[in-house]
Amino acid sequence: MRVVKEINDKACKITVFSWNGKYLIKLEQGPFEQTYKVSEMDVLEQEIDEILSPEFIAECLERFQQMGETLSGALSKL
């Protein structure tokens, strides 16, 4: 597995890997992570920045918030 790029944004950490014919776009925030797999046949390495647009990041951050709410709801039922 090769690290293609790392972005340490204030809101989340983004790491892009190249592995097994795919780019793995991994976003991490606190205890949560999201991973998106994109075929290397569909995207050039230099196009990854276009995928990581402000809109894409904003939607991922919203998803992190939803993940936190889901986990909190599940833990409150214990």
Side-chain angles (χ1 to χ4, degrees), residues 5-18:
K5 75 181 328 174
E6 288 184 300
I7 302 170
N8 289 309
D9 190 80
K10 292 180 220 169
C12 67
K13 178 182 177 186
I14 302 169
T15 309
V16 180
F17 300 96
S18 175

Side-chain angles (χ1 to χ4, degrees), residues 7-14 26-30 57 60-61 64:
I7 302 170
N8 289 309
D9 190 80
K10 292 180 220 169
C12 67
K13 178 182 177 186
I14 302 169
K26 180 178 175 183
L27 296 92
E28 299 174 81
Q29 185 183 61
I57 304 275
C60 291
L61 293 176
F64 278 129

